């Protein structure tokens, strides 16, 4: 079988002794567009010699040398770009691994032992085994390269056989190096209702750190992804850019360090804050996956790389269809009963969506969930509201002709709940200080196996009793507060990590028993958005902020790393100063849903929404599974334009938005991308309000793909808060 990646590997096992001269081992990890080349030095340690565009001459990798970047900085001793640098060695900068051994020694040196490769779905898995020569500590570096998608994911396995546990206080997923004249970082800051906000800066000598210490709702203030411009500031359509993201639903840290001679090292991983981890002999510590792509054609191409990779290999049901829905939250809040919900299900059918989603407020009896101060943890339907329970709701949905989905927040507990009264020790809470409540709730201790069983049981019981339930919205509204685990006792340094691993144990069990169950990942908005969690969720909720103007910025940011299929957006009444059409056209760039009372809509608005749902369903192959092109940035202009092209180039959809144009500002045509230049395309404006016609001169005309990409369409206007959706069909 011919492997899809050319990797030059030595299968020779070398004795790990620093003083012994060893043969040269060159390890090439390649995609169709990128080479990562590692080499052992004369000291038998492993160094990065190259990371960049793929070398076309298969022999050129042999001209690279580990000492190319060593000894040129006047350092006390010679150093190179060690692939997984450790504490206490001759390198005076941030290490990837820090260990205190059983005897108190804090130094570690890793020497090459062996390497191997094997084909995996979509690519090749390379393992490189390293070992300390003084302590029985072993490290395996893992790289999976996906040639077609130009994506590499990497993680590290750490184990030992010392007589007593070792203390790990640094354990990065990877370490990458660059040598360029300058480096420009784009980061994605966040907060409730303003997630995914882009900002850029030039990296200067020293360290820039992006991290979070929130525990559960970990991405509330910083998102777990970044971009590095390697030939100037990050650009959309040109330039070399590294785009990286960490698959970890807990505390993360990205360290960017420019050293004394201008080299950059990038170190992604779990944030070791308050997390010195005690590793027992024989156990293996596996770091999260770091996923990255290196694009020479700007962030647009990098995003398309990641989108394709995610749909094929990481996102749950990444190749399947998505359901449209009607949610009740903005319409009813906590105030509903069985009859009201049954009526809303009929509205969902009338709207033309696939599903009705019941949000918060359906559970609790001793402490009914009538607000956010009580009931979390007691996942029994409130008899006063829902005398027929979930079963009656499922039947009402079936009678209405739609599917039924339900909201849960199973990782949390209100002190005012039966669960807390029975099991106060299941909550993360300090035993000797006043308790601080975030949103009147506490986080359950998922490091405790009994708690894991309970949380899994929330889903399992609902599904066992009501197998027709078609969807879960899984929320997580609180970071970890009052940081103490009754279960962990004297191992509090492991809480942040074991808590997240406990979450994965739960989600793994849910997926194994209910493999086809769609679930939305929600965390008070976009407080969780990583590719490890998305192995178990079909989509995530980008933000509680559904103002369409703000959503354009939020969705623009998230689209850098996530395909439209992974992002959920709803039409609501957040900004009543914008039209229903504008709100719907913005939400239609993601998995489309509605969270609005249909009684608020006029007859024309309701007809428009029905038409938009039908169009969205028809165009799923382009919007959900096609290539995305961000054409006009809201950060740089008073407009935005995003295009989706299906893989066959038969169909494309252009979304254009006018935000706050200046008086008589210059408007330019939007040049499309990704079309077949030789084919003709019929251009038609869709999602028009009933009784209106397109005002564009190009509507209904035919143009070549070449014309549309070089000349473009004059689709932007000076009308504030307005939108246009253009469908292009190959003739």
């Amino acid at each position: 079988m011919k492997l899809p990646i050319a990797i030059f590997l030595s299968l020779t096992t070398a004795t790990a002794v620093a003083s012994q001269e060893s043969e040269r081992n060159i390890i090439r990890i390649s995609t169709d567009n990128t080479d990562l080349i590692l080499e052992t030095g004369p000291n038998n340690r492993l160094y990065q010699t190259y990371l960049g565009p793929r070398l076309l001459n298969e022999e050129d990798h042999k001209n690279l040398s580990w000492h190319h970047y060593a000894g040129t900085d006047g350092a006390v001793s010679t150093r190179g770009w060690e692939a997984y640098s450790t504490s206490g060695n001759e390198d005076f900068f941030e290490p990837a691994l820090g260990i205190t051994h059983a005897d108190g020694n804090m130094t570690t040196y890793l020497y090459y032992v062996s390497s191997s490769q094997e084909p995996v779905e979509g690519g090749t898995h390379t393992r490189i085994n390293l070992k300390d020569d003084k302590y029985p500590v072993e490290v395996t570096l893992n790289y999976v390269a996906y040639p077609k998608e130009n994506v590499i994911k990497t993680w590290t396995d750490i184990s030992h056989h010392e007589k007593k546990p070792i203390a790990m206080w640094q354990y990065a997923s990877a370490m990458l190096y660059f040598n360029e004249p300058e480096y420009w970082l784009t980061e994605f800051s966040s907060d409730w209702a303003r997630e995914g906000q882009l900002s850029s800066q030039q990296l200067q000598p020293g360290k820039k750190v992006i991290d979070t210490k929130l525990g559960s709702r970990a991405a509330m203030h910083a998102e777990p992804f970044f971009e590095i411009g390697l030939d100037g500031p990050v650009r959309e359509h040109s330039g070399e850019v590294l785009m990286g993201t960490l698959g970890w639903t807990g505390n993360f840290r990205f360290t960017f360090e420019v050293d004394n001679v201008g080299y950059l090292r990038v170190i992604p991983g779990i944030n070791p804050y308050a997390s010195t981890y005690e590793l027992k002999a024989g156990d293996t510590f596996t770091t999260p996956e770091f996923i990255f792509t290196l694009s020479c054609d700007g962030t647009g191409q990098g995003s398309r790389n990641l989108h394709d990779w995610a749909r094929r290999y990481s996102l749950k049901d990444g190749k399947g269809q998505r359901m449209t829905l009607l949610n009740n939250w903005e319409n009813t809040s906590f105030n509903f009963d069985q009859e009201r919900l049954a009526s809303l299900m009929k509205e969902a059918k009338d709207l033309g969506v696939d599903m009705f989603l019941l949000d918060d407020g359906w559970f609790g009896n001793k402490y009914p969930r009538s607000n956010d101060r009580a009931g979390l943890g007691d996942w029994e339907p409130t008899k006063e509201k829902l005398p027929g329970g979930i079963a009656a709701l499922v039947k009402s949905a079936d009678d209405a002709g739609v599917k039924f989905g339900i909201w849960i927040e199973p990782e949390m507990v209100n002190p005012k709940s039966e669960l807390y009264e029975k099991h106060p020790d299941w909550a993360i809470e300090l035993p000797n200080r006043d308790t601080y409540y975030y949103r009147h709730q506490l986080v359950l201790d998922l490091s405790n196996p009994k708690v894991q069983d309970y949380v899994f049981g929330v889903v399992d019981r609902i599904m066992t009793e009501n197998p027709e339930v078609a969807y879960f919205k899984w929320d997580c509204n609180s970071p970890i507060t009052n940081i103490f685990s009754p279960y962990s006792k004297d191992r509090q340094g492991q809480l942040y990590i074991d808590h997240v691993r406990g979450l994965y144990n739960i989600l793994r069990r849910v997926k194994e028993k209910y493999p086809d169950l769609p679930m939305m990942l929600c965390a008070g908005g976009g407080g969780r958005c990583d590719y490890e969690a998305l192995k178990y969720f079909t989509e995530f909720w980008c933000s509680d902020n559904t103002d369409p103007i703000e959503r354009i910025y939020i969705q623009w940011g998230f689209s850098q790393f996530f395909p439209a299929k992974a992002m959920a957006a709803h039409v609501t009444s957040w900004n009543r100063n914008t039209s229903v059409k504008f709100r719907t056209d913005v939400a239609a760039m993601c998995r489309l849903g509605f969270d609005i009372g249909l009684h608020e809509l006029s007859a024309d608005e309701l007809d428009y929404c029905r038409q938009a749902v039908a169009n969205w369903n028809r165009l799923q192959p382009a919007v959900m599974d096609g290539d995305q092109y961000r054409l006009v940035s809201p950060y740089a202009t008073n407009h935005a334009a995003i295009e989706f092209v299906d893989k066959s180039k038969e169909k494309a959809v252009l979304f254009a938005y006018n935000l706050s144009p200046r008086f008589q500002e210059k408007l330019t045509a939007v040049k499309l991308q990704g079309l077949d230049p030789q084919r003709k395309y019929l251009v038609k404006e869709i999602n028009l309000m009933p009784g209106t016609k397109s005002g564009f001169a190009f509507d209904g005309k035919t143009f070549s793909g070449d014309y549309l990409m070089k000349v473009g369409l004059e689709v932007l206007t000076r009308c504030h808060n307005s939108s246009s959706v253009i469908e292009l069909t190959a003739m």
Side-chain angles (χ1 to χ4, degrees), residues 134 139 156 247 253 268 322 421 485 504 566 573 622 645 652-653 675 730:
K134 304 297 183 185
V139 171
T156 303
R253 184 175 73 179
R322 296 295 184 261
E421 290 178 347
S485 164
Y504 294 153
S573 300
V645 184
V653 187
L675 304 177

Side-chain angles (χ1 to χ4, degrees), residues 93 183 203-207 256-260 262-265:
F93 297 92
Y183 315 96
L203 294 174
Q204 301 294 341
K207 286 191 290 189
F256 310 94
E257 185 168 24
V258 179
D259 68 16
N260 56 312
Y263 302 149
L264 170 67
R265 66 182 64 190

Side-chain angles (χ1 to χ4, degrees), residues 352-365:
V353 297
D354 301 305
M355 179 175 59
F356 175 80
L357 174 62
L358 173 60
D359 215 290
D360 194 359
W362 59 269
F363 50 90
N365 284 291

Side-chain angles (χ1 to χ4, degrees), residues 121 164 257 425 439 447 566 677:
E121 183 186 8
K164 295 181 180 180
E257 185 168 24
D425 58 319
R439 283 188 52 143
S447 68

Side-chain angles (χ1 to χ4, degrees), residues 67-328:
H67 57 73
H68 183 68
Y69 301 116
T72 60
D73 61 351
V76 174
S77 59
T78 299
R79 61 178 171 88
W81 287 356
E82 191 158 12
Y84 201 69
S85 185
T86 53
S87 64
N89 65 18
E90 68 276 4
D91 188 306
F92 302 118
F93 297 92
E94 190 78 6
L97 179 65
I99 291 175
T100 301
H101 298 280
D103 64 0
N105 194 311
M106 299 178 69
T107 65
T108 301
Y109 283 70
L110 296 176
Y111 298 93
Y112 177 83
V113 176
S114 64
S115 54
S116 63
Q117 66 169 345
E118 64 177 349
V120 293
E121 183 186 8
T124 296
H125 183 179
T126 301
R127 292 181 178 87
I128 306 171
N129 301 309
L130 310 174
K131 188 174 182 179
D132 195 326
D133 65 330
K134 304 297 183 185
Y135 294 91
V137 173
E138 299 174 357
V139 171
T140 299
L141 306 182
N142 298 271
Y143 303 88
V144 177
Y146 299 86
K148 185 177 180 180
E149 295 80 15
N150 191 31
V151 167
I152 298 173
K153 71 177 182 181
T154 176
W155 71 96
T156 303
D157 297 316
I158 305 163
S159 61
H160 77 98
H161 291 88
E162 298 191 26
K163 293 181 179 179
K164 295 181 180 180
I166 62 173
M168 301 196 310
W169 40 270
Q170 187 108 310
Y171 29 82
S173 294
M175 203 166 194
L176 303 177
Y177 299 84
F178 298 91
N179 178 24
E180 300 293 343
E182 57 188 40
Y183 315 96
W184 288 80
L185 169 69
T186 295
E187 60 182 300
F188 298 80
S189 60
S190 181
D191 202 347
W192 180 79
R194 53 188 311 274
E195 291 86 345
Q197 305 297 304
L198 284 73
S199 60
S200 299
Q201 60 183 277
Q202 185 175 1
L203 294 174
Q204 301 294 341
K207 286 191 290 189
K208 161 71 177 180
V209 174
I210 300 172
D211 71 354
T212 177
K213 305 178 180 70
L214 299 174
S216 54
R217 189 178 165 184
M220 182 166 62
H221 295 151
E223 311 288 7
F225 38 86
F226 64 86
E227 300 166 348
I228 298 285
L230 298 172
D231 57 358
V234 168
R235 300 184 296 280
E236 180 70 30
H237 307 300
S238 64
E240 191 171 354
V241 57
L242 171 74
M243 302 175 66
T245 181
L246 190 72
W248 183 246
T249 320
N251 294 344
F252 60 85
R253 184 175 73 179
F254 299 130
T255 301
F256 310 94
E257 185 168 24
V258 179
D259 68 16
N260 56 312
V261 290
Y263 302 149
L264 170 67
R265 66 182 64 190
V266 178
I267 312 174
I270 295 173
N271 188 354
Y273 164 78
S275 297
T276 297
Y277 199 91
E278 182 183 277
L279 187 65
K280 297 178 181 178
D283 288 351
T284 298
F285 184 97
T286 299
T287 71
E289 296 173 351
F290 175 62
I291 303 115
F292 71 92
T293 186
L294 191 64
S295 168
C296 293
D297 297 304
T299 56
Q301 185 57 53
S303 295
R304 290 186 287 278
N305 294 342
L306 290 165
H307 296 173
D308 282 345
W309 171 83
R311 286 186 293 248
R312 290 171 183 153
Y313 308 116
S314 191
L315 176 64
K316 183 179 181 183
D317 195 24
K319 297 179 182 179
Q321 290 192 318
R322 296 295 184 261
M323 293 186 289
T324 53
L325 61 85
L326 176 66
N327 196 1
N328 72 299

Side-chain angles (χ1 to χ4, degrees), residues 367-601:
Y367 302 104
R369 181 73 166 176
S370 57
N371 53 50
D372 65 357
R373 296 173 179 268
L376 276 180
D378 301 342
W379 300 102
E380 295 290 340
T382 305
K383 294 177 181 178
E384 184 177 349
K385 284 184 179 180
L386 306 173
I390 295 174
L393 298 176
V394 171
K395 184 178 184 306
S396 294
D398 185 62
D399 290 343
V402 294
K403 297 181 183 296
F404 177 77
I406 196 166
W407 178 97
I408 55 173
E409 193 178 2
E411 302 166 56
M412 305 290 163
V413 63
N414 287 126
K416 196 173 181 180
S417 68
E418 293 184 79
L419 178 65
Y420 186 79
E421 290 178 347
K422 295 175 183 176
H423 300 286
D425 58 319
W426 283 10
I428 296 175
E429 187 175 15
L430 289 162
N432 57 352
R433 297 185 187 277
D434 292 340
T435 300
Y436 166 61
Y437 298 105
Y438 188 97
R439 283 188 52 143
H440 319 291
Q441 62 193 64
L442 296 170
V443 179
L444 291 174
D445 184 2
L446 302 187
S447 68
N448 185 336
K450 291 182 179 180
V451 177
Q452 294 175 29
D453 289 341
Y454 179 81
V455 175
F456 168 75
V458 173
V459 175
D460 191 41
R461 184 170 58 254
I462 292 174
M463 291 301 298
T464 300
E465 297 174 356
N466 308 276
E468 299 86 0
V469 169
Y471 184 92
F472 279 87
K473 178 180 178 181
W474 182 304
D475 213 338
C476 168
N477 280 300
S478 178
I480 296 177
T481 58
N482 314 286
I483 303 165
F484 182 85
S485 164
Y487 174 77
S488 297
K489 298 179 181 178
D490 60 348
R491 295 174 289 107
Q492 296 300 314
Q494 300 187 189
L495 171 58
Y496 278 128
I497 295 172
D498 288 348
H499 180 84
V500 177
R501 289 177 173 172
L503 172 63
Y504 294 153
N505 288 340
I506 297 163
L507 296 174
R508 192 176 300 113
R509 292 171 66 184
V510 171
K511 186 175 181 180
E512 288 173 355
K513 188 166 183 180
Y514 306 103
D516 300 322
L517 178 64
M519 296 202 300
M520 179 202 292
L521 177 65
C522 182
R528 282 178 169 172
C529 48
D530 68 274
Y531 274 120
E532 187 64 28
L534 287 173
K535 292 177 180 178
Y536 309 101
F537 292 88
T538 48
E539 61 208 46
F540 71 95
W541 180 236
C542 301
S543 179
D544 284 344
N545 187 342
T546 53
D547 180 312
I549 298 170
E550 296 299 329
R551 265 292 184 137
I552 287 173
Y553 291 90
I554 292 168
Q555 292 168 193
W556 184 276
F558 280 124
S559 75
Q560 308 280 319
F561 288 86
F562 302 101
K565 176 172 279 186
M567 298 159 57
H570 293 171
V571 181
T572 75
S573 300
W574 255 55
N575 189 337
R576 294 177 182 271
N577 294 321
T578 59
S579 68
V580 169
K581 170 178 167 52
F582 185 70
R583 284 176 259 164
T584 305
D585 289 350
V586 171
M589 288 193 297
C590 301
R591 195 277 292 137
L592 177 62
F594 291 80
D595 195 351
I596 192 170
L598 300 193
H599 63 277
E600 300 177 22
L601 306 180

